[in-house]
């Protein structure tokens, strides 16, 4: 199959205007394939040659302007259109297409809970070719008019309002001009909750087996949807540009969500089957806000080529967090961003595969290379850059520039240059120079504070390792005594803004030297922070006493960065977590710090002989959190989200502690008792997620067997249960279990994307290194062959989840470096292996540094 190059796309865009696709999909032809018929009306500006893309099971027929064409001329995924004459044309293509089990193209899923079948499209980048013929590039926008034939009893959702013309025959209202990758269809016996808002139909949808869980959260989801919709209309001059707003929670979805106009698709793990924390609800709300922002930035105005993907994702990431903060009860979203997303950007930006937020067009020569840039840089770093831009430019001028951008390019395409030019219309500031410094460069700056006392004042200077300008807030804090508790606290003395680089003159402030000086106190820039020695000593001993959770998040990120850079021993970070998390009130911080301590410090950065001690520390910490949350009643567990009384035990905090206690268990007795009794003493009662979590840990410890796994699957035969069973079976510490899991992942080629991921997650366990050692060498050739056979989605899963991440040793790194020389390596897997090997080298360096 040929990937589209940027040069080819530019040539075709100069030749063609595409007006309308009329697409007829028949989903009643069997379980393996469906029929697709497409008529494309387009105009050739001049005479010339081009091609149309399609990836059929069988190409049945084609005609151009009524004249038949030879299907045998299909070359991979391209059909040549030679010697086009200037003027209007109509191309008709009839094909049999194959359903997907990997979340690409038209994905088909049969729910093991009730036997019902659902299909949905994910056409991003170049997968529209798996569903119908298309001139597949983002700058050939067109109207799409779809008709879908389905089995009786199904409902069809699409980019516009869908109506049933006859039994099983549905017509979706034609779209405004949109890009090929944004076309969407979802069909099946959906459970739906519908309403009206601002004169438009709104709906949320899921498979029937999840209906009670969607109904339980329907008011919350729809309230957030309405609040974000209204807030965007206050920010943006252009109204919402489509005729309806549906949100479908679909099974086995590869991404978090996809911004299809009028039909956003989400992974249906966001329909919560089990207890979740309020931070997890906030994450779902942020994804709702993120995808809605795309309706303007990405859908109304679309990138011209994939080098500008950050224009889609960075904008939606920034706007999602900011709008959620302004419009909903989730007012601390930037704390969650700091602890859960920003590290993703910092990590990606320090790997060999780093790239600018806005890469040079020549660095994205084709769609295969473009797919690699959906990472922490395009999302988290880009959103951080926009947040810094707003701090520097001011929100009023920022939004004025954005609205000019929408007005000039609505229903069309735009580039980075267009975006910067439009921002420049709203300000006297030099945004072009700002863009060069922030968007065209790579790497993370480091800002180091130096504090000195001078008479009755103190001085601050900042060293910058890097080249970007920064506007940051400095926060100063002093020790104070809490008269109610008698404890030593930190109190905010002052906050003030400075620009970096400084002009060489220290910032002088009156009074004695503060006990804690924090650069970037509001976390408005993107840079690693280093505190002065006195402030760092105060932070280590009083971190939980810092009054603002966003400031605490920044200090925790500093500690995280220092561990990764070999400047702070991992056990010091672990001790700080043990000391301060029992007093932490922000759930996102507890979850983020515990997650780093467990998956990075205990599992990777400490040598194997120190891992049991680290797990014991985490277990003690979780016990403290459980003691702090004693006294919860059944009513507390049933209370409405976000209504915890300040100072009372938080069910979400207890849930985090229970999860991490299970994961850190080195002896099976306590969690076996929980599983047998069906409850944690003092709550919560075990739901499906916690039961599978315990069983997975028991499998790792060799304290369960196939009989128990099969029994649990009988109790929970859902899709999530199937994944839980696959994870448990792969985690069993026997040669037979590992061989069976490896065969399923790398030979059978029958696992869906989700079952592959679950099996991979269970397979590699840091406490089973001797048993797993032979598979480290097998991984590289088997993964390379698998990626070539099964495509980018499985390649991503193989590189992310099936990689031997706990094999932190020179031999594993050497094997990986040899694999990178293999010419058969696909771009998607090459990128993942490059990143994973760099993480192994970093983990090895951290161990060697101490």
């Amino acid at each position: 199959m040929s990937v589209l190059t940027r040069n080819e796309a530019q040539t075709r865009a100069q030749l063609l205007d595409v007006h309308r696709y009329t697409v007829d999909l028949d989903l009643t032809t069997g379980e393996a394939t469906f029929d697709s018929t497409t008529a494309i009306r387009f105009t050739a500006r001049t005479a010339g040659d081009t091609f149309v893309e399609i990836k059929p099971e069988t190409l049945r027929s084609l005609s151009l302007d009524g004249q038949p064409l030879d299907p045998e001329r299909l070359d991979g995924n391209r059909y040549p259109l030679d010697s086009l004459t200037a003027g209007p044309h109509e191309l008709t293509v009839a094909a049999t297409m194959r359903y997907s089990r990997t979340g690409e193209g038209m994905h088909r899923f049969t729910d093991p809970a009730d036997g019902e079948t659902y299909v949905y499209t994910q056409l991003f980048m170049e997968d529209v070719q798996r569903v119908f013929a298309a001139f597949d590039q983002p700058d050939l926008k067109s109207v799409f008019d779809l008709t879908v034939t389905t089995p009786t009893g199904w409902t069809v959702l699409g980019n516009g309002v869908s109506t049933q013309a006859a039994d099983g025959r549905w017509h979706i209202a034609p779209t405004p001009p949109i890009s090929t990758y944004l076309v969407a269809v979802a069909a099946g016996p959906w459970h739906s909750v519908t309403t009206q808002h601002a004169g438009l139909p709104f709906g949320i949808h899921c498979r029937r087996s999840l209906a009670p869980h969607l109904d339980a959260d329907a008011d919350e989801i729809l309230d957030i949807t309405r609040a974000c919709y209204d807030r965007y209309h206050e920010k943006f001059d252009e109204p919402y540009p489509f005729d309806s707003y549906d949100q479908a929670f679909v099974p086995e979805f590869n991404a978090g969500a996809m911004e299809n106009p009028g039909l956003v698709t989400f992974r249906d793990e966001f329909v919560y089957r089990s207890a979740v924390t309020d931070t997890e609800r906030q994450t779902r709300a942020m994804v709702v806000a993120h995808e809605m922002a795309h309706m303007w930035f990405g859908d109304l105005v679309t990138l011209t080529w994939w080098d500008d993907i950050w224009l889609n994702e960075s904008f939606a990431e920034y706007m999602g967090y900011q709008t959620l903060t302004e419009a909903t009860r989730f007012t601390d979203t930037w704390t969650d961003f700091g602890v859960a997303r920003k590290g993703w950007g910092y990590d990606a930006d320090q790997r060999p595969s780093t790239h600018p937020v806005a890469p040079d067009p020549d660095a994205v020569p084709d769609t295969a290379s473009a797919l690699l840039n959906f990472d922490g840089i395009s999302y988290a770093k880009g959103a951080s850059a926009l947040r810094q831009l707003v701090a520097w430019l001011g929100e009023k001028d920022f939004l004025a520039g954005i609205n000019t951008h929408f007005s000039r390019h609505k229903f069309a395409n735009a580039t980075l240059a267009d975006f910067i030019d439009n921002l420049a219309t709203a300000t006297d500031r030099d945004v072009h120079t700002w863009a060069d410094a922030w968007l065209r460069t790579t790497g993370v700056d480091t800002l180091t504070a130096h504090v000195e006392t001078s008479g009755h004042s103190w001085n601050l200077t900042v060293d910058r390792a890097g080249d970007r300008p920064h506007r940051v807030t400095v926060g100063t804090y002093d020790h104070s005594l809490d008269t109610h508790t008698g404890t030593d606290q930190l109190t905010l003395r002052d906050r003030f803004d400075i620009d970096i680089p400084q002009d060489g003159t220290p910032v002088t402030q009156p009074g004695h030297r503060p006990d804690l000086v924090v650069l970037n106190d509001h976390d408005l820039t993107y840079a690693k922070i280093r505190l002065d020695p006195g402030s760092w000593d105060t932070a280590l001993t009083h971190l939980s006493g810092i009054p603002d959770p966003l400031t605490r998040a920044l200090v925790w990120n500093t500690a995280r960065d220092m561990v990764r850079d070999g400047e702070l021993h991992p056990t010091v970070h672990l001790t700080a977590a043990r000391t301060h998390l029992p007093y932490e009130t922000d759930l996102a911080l507890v979850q983020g710090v515990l997650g780093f301590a467990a998956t990075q410090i205990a599992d990777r950065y400490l040598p194997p002989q120190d891992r049991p001690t680290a797990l014991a520390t985490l277990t003690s910490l979780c016990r403290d959190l459980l003691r702090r949350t004693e006294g919860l009643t059944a009513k507390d567990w049933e209370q409405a989200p976000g209504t915890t009384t300040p100072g009372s035990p938080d069910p979400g905090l207890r849930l985090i502690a229970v999860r991490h206690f299970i994961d850190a268990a080195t002896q099976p007795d306590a969690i076996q008792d929980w599983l047998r009794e069906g409850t944690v003493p003092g709550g919560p009662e075990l739901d499906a997620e916690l039961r599978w979590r315990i069983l997975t840990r028991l499998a790792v410890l060799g304290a369960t067997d196939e009989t128990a796994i099969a029994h649990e699957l009988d109790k929970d035969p859902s899709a999530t249960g199937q994944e839980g069973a696959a994870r448990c079976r792969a985690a069993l510490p026997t040669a037979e279990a590992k061989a069976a899991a490896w065969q399923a992942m790398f030979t059978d080629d029958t696992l869906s994307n989700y079952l592959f991921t679950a099996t991979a997650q269970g397979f590699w366990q840091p406490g089973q290194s001797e048993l797993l050692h032979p598979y480290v060498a097998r991984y590289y050739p088997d993964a390379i062959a698998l990626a070539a056979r099964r495509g980018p989605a499985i390649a991503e899963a193989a590189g992310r989840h099936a990689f031997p991440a706990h094999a932190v040793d020179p031999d594993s790194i050497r094997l990986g470096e040899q694999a990178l020389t293999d010419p058969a390596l696909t771009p998607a897997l090459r990128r993942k292996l490059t990143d994973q090997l760099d993480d192994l080298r970093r983990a090895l360096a951290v161990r060697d540094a101490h």
Side-chain angles (χ1 to χ4, degrees):
M1 297 289 178
S2 299
V3 298
L4 184 68
T5 70
R6 177 171 168 267
N7 289 338
E8 289 172 328
Q10 288 177 333
T11 299
R12 189 162 59 178
Q14 291 168 359
L15 178 65
L16 301 182
D17 279 323
V18 185
H19 308 301
R20 192 179 193 90
Y21 288 78
T22 303
V23 181
D24 196 316
L25 303 175
D26 187 346
L27 308 181
T28 65
T29 60
E31 295 183 0
T33 61
F34 61 96
D35 285 351
S36 169
T37 302
T38 307
I40 311 174
R41 289 171 46 203
F42 64 97
T43 297
R45 295 192 185 96
T46 63
D49 301 333
T50 191
F51 56 90
V52 68
E53 291 109 325
I54 189 170
K55 299 176 181 177
E57 179 75 4
T58 304
L59 185 57
R60 298 197 306 269
S61 65
L62 304 93
S63 65
L64 181 64
D65 302 329
Q67 299 301 308
L69 303 175
D70 181 5
E72 295 297 322
R73 295 193 66 206
L74 181 67
D75 183 8
N77 62 323
R78 295 183 176 188
Y79 191 91
L81 299 175
D82 300 331
S83 303
L84 280 177
T85 58
H89 298 278
E90 182 167 320
L91 175 69
T92 302
V93 182
T96 299
M97 313 297 287
R98 180 163 291 277
Y99 288 114
S100 163
R101 289 298 315 284
T102 60
E104 301 159 295
M106 180 79 79
H107 186 84
R108 182 182 176 95
F109 171 85
T110 298
D111 192 339
D114 57 14
E116 298 283 10
T117 296
Y118 301 84
V119 302
Y120 65 87
T121 57
Q122 170 65 346
L123 306 187
F124 184 74
M125 192 67 77
E126 54 187 13
D127 283 336
V128 67
Q129 304 164 37
R130 296 172 180 260
V131 177
F132 58 86
F135 298 113
D136 192 12
Q137 60 190 71
D139 57 341
L140 287 179
K141 285 189 166 183
S142 179
V143 172
F144 290 85
D145 187 351
L146 272 69
T147 301
V148 185
T149 302
T150 71
T152 301
W154 282 22
T155 299
V156 171
L157 309 170
N159 298 108
V161 172
S162 61
T163 54
Q164 190 169 13
D167 191 26
R169 184 93 171 148
W170 295 78
H171 181 245
I172 302 169
T175 68
I178 62 173
S179 299
T180 51
Y181 77 91
L182 294 170
V183 176
V185 171
W190 301 108
H191 171 72
S192 300
V193 179
T194 60
T195 187
Q196 294 270 333
H197 183 66
L200 296 177
F202 278 31
I204 53 176
H205 316 268
C206 71
R207 47 193 163 106
R208 285 180 177 174
S209 65
L210 297 179
H213 308 293
L214 184 69
D215 288 347
D217 281 356
D219 288 345
E220 177 182 329
I221 295 169
L222 289 170
D223 283 349
I224 289 164
T225 302
R226 287 186 286 256
C228 291
Y229 181 94
D230 292 344
R231 185 67 180 128
Y232 285 135
H233 278 83
E234 293 171 1
K235 290 174 176 286
F236 304 149
D237 294 340
E238 291 292 330
Y240 174 73
F242 306 103
D243 72 358
S244 53
Y245 199 78
D246 285 300
Q247 298 173 100
F249 297 87
V250 299
E252 298 186 324
F253 196 67
N254 281 324
M258 178 65 198
E259 66 269 20
N260 313 300
L263 176 59
V264 178
T265 42
F266 298 81
R267 57 172 54 222
D268 65 11
E269 289 94 328
F270 283 128
V271 179
Y272 299 128
R273 299 171 65 239
S274 298
V276 294
T277 69
D278 210 41
T279 297
E280 288 167 304
R281 292 183 178 278
Q282 177 178 279
T283 297
R284 178 175 67 187
M286 194 286 296
V287 177
V288 170
H290 174 114
E291 302 307 325
M292 188 179 288
H294 274 307
M295 298 298 121
W296 285 266
F297 226 119
D299 296 358
L300 177 66
V301 180
T302 310
L303 46 77
T304 300
W305 180 246
W306 300 108
D307 56 312
D308 282 330
I309 190 59
W310 80 277
L311 282 173
N312 284 16
E313 299 304 342
S314 300
F315 181 88
E317 184 89 344
Y318 166 78
M319 198 59 69
Y321 278 97
Q322 184 63 27
T323 301
L324 204 65
T325 296
E326 296 169 354
T328 74
R329 69 180 178 86
F330 297 112
T331 56
D332 290 327
T333 58
W334 286 114
T335 300
D336 185 44
F337 177 82
V339 74
R341 300 288 276 185
K342 211 159 187 182
W344 180 34
Y346 291 149
D347 294 355
D349 214 8
Q350 296 174 83
R351 294 184 178 123
S353 60
T354 186
H355 58 87
V357 172
D360 187 277
D362 292 339
V364 189
D366 53 40
T367 52
S369 58
L371 194 60
L372 308 181
N373 286 348
F374 287 82
D375 57 12
I377 295 172
S378 293
Y379 286 77
K381 180 181 179 180
S384 299
L386 289 177
R387 196 165 188 231
Q388 171 66 186
L389 175 63
V390 174
W392 177 71
L393 199 63
E395 185 177 43
K396 179 181 177 182
D397 288 351
F398 175 74
L399 289 176
I402 292 298
N403 281 311
T404 297
H405 190 70
F406 293 156
S407 176
R408 288 179 173 178
H409 304 286
K410 59 184 176 182
F411 297 115
N413 300 84
T415 66
L416 168 63
D418 296 323
F419 177 70
I420 299 303
D421 286 346
N422 292 327
L423 284 179
T425 65
T427 180
D428 293 331
R429 289 183 175 269
D430 187 353
V431 291
H432 293 87
T433 298
W434 181 93
D436 288 341
W438 273 91
L439 305 179
R440 295 295 195 190
T441 58
T442 62
V444 186
D445 288 2
T446 300
L447 308 180
T448 302
H450 300 280
V451 177
E452 295 181 353
T453 300
S454 176
H456 297 290
S457 62
W458 61 276
N459 299 325
L460 170 67
T461 57
V462 181
D463 287 342
R464 176 187 60 164
D467 298 318
R468 298 188 188 101
H470 301 265
R471 167 158 287 194
V472 301
T473 298
V474 178
T476 61
Y477 300 83
D478 294 319
H479 290 299
S480 64
L481 183 67
D482 187 320
T483 56
H484 295 288
T485 64
T487 57
D488 185 16
Q489 301 289 317
L490 289 172
T491 302
L492 177 67
R493 180 198 297 186
D494 191 19
R495 285 193 176 112
F496 55 89
D497 294 337
I498 64 172
D499 289 315
I500 302 171
Q502 297 168 271
D503 61 6
T505 303
V507 177
T508 299
Q509 294 288 305
H512 63 84
R513 186 229 130 96
D515 295 307
L516 175 64
V517 178
V518 180
L519 296 179
N520 195 28
D521 193 35
H522 282 145
D523 202 21
L524 294 177
T525 198
Y526 173 86
K528 293 195 288 187
I529 302 301
R530 294 294 183 264
L531 306 182
D532 69 275
S535 293
W536 182 239
D537 289 343
T538 298
L540 280 179
T541 55
H542 291 78
L543 206 161
S544 55
I546 297 173
D548 189 336
L550 187 56
T551 308
R552 297 197 297 274
L554 183 135
V555 175
W556 277 117
N557 270 348
T558 296
R560 176 188 185 277
D561 291 335
M562 291 172 70
V563 171
R564 284 174 44 82
D565 292 345
E567 300 172 17
L568 183 70
H569 197 289
T571 57
V572 176
H573 187 288
L574 200 56
T575 299
R578 177 73 181 83
T579 301
H580 295 292
L581 286 191
Y583 306 99
E584 180 54 62
T585 57
D586 189 281
L587 296 188
L589 275 172
V590 176
Q591 179 59 53
V593 175
L594 269 176
F596 178 73
T599 62
Q600 298 301 314
I601 290 178
D603 289 357
R604 303 190 77 181
Y605 291 156
L606 290 175
Q609 64 268 23
D610 293 343
R611 186 168 182 270
T613 301
L615 293 179
T617 299
L618 290 172
T619 298
S620 296
L621 168 54
C622 290
R623 283 199 180 99
D624 280 351
L625 292 172
L626 290 173
R627 281 192 288 269
R628 175 178 158 189
T629 54
E630 287 175 347
L632 288 164
T633 66
K635 184 178 180 181
D636 292 324
W637 288 101
E638 295 169 358
Q639 67 187 349
T643 60
T644 301
T645 303
S648 65
D650 189 333
L653 181 61
R654 188 170 183 85
L655 182 59
I656 292 171
V658 167
R659 289 171 176 171
H660 281 273
F661 186 94
I662 294 167
D663 294 347
T666 56
Q667 299 297 323
D669 298 349
I671 59 176
Q672 275 181 327
D673 289 345
W674 292 0
L675 189 63
R676 184 169 48 252
E677 297 297 327
T679 186
V680 177
E685 294 185 3
L686 299 188
D687 53 30
E689 187 270 333
L690 289 176
R691 293 187 66 86
W692 282 115
R693 197 178 199 108
I694 291 175
L695 201 59
T696 299
R697 190 60 189 166
L698 292 175
V700 172
L701 297 174
T704 192
D705 55 22
E706 171 57 34
T707 300
I709 296 169
H711 176 69
E712 194 65 33
L713 186 59
D714 286 341
K715 295 172 62 176
D716 179 21
S718 67
T720 307
Q722 299 284 344
E723 294 158 27
R727 193 176 294 110
C728 287
R729 288 167 175 148
L732 289 168
T734 67
E736 295 78 12
K738 298 302 182 185
W742 198 264
Q743 172 82 6
M745 286 190 292
F746 291 105
T747 303
D748 290 350
D749 287 357
T750 57
L751 292 181
S752 71
N753 49 337
Y754 270 41
L755 286 173
F756 180 96
T757 294
T759 304
Q761 289 169 335
F763 186 87
W764 296 106
Q765 297 294 332
Q768 300 174 350
S769 56
E770 185 174 343
L771 178 63
L772 294 170
H773 180 73
Y775 290 97
V776 176
R778 291 182 61 181
Y779 168 78
Y780 293 101
D782 288 2
I784 290 170
L786 177 76
R789 291 195 312 273
R790 299 202 67 189
I794 295 296
E796 164 76 11
R800 180 185 300 272
H801 301 290
F803 182 82
H806 303 118
V808 183
D809 60 74
D811 286 343
S812 178
I813 295 170
R814 177 181 52 80
L815 289 168
E817 290 170 344
Q818 290 175 351
L820 291 178
T821 66
D822 191 328
L825 197 58
T826 64
L829 185 59
R830 178 182 296 280
R831 170 65 180 273
K832 293 307 301 179
L833 294 186
T834 298
D835 290 349
Q836 293 277 28
L837 289 168
D838 188 64
D839 287 351
L840 282 186
R841 292 188 201 96
R842 182 179 289 271
L844 192 60
V846 169
R847 291 183 182 183
D848 290 345
H850 305 290

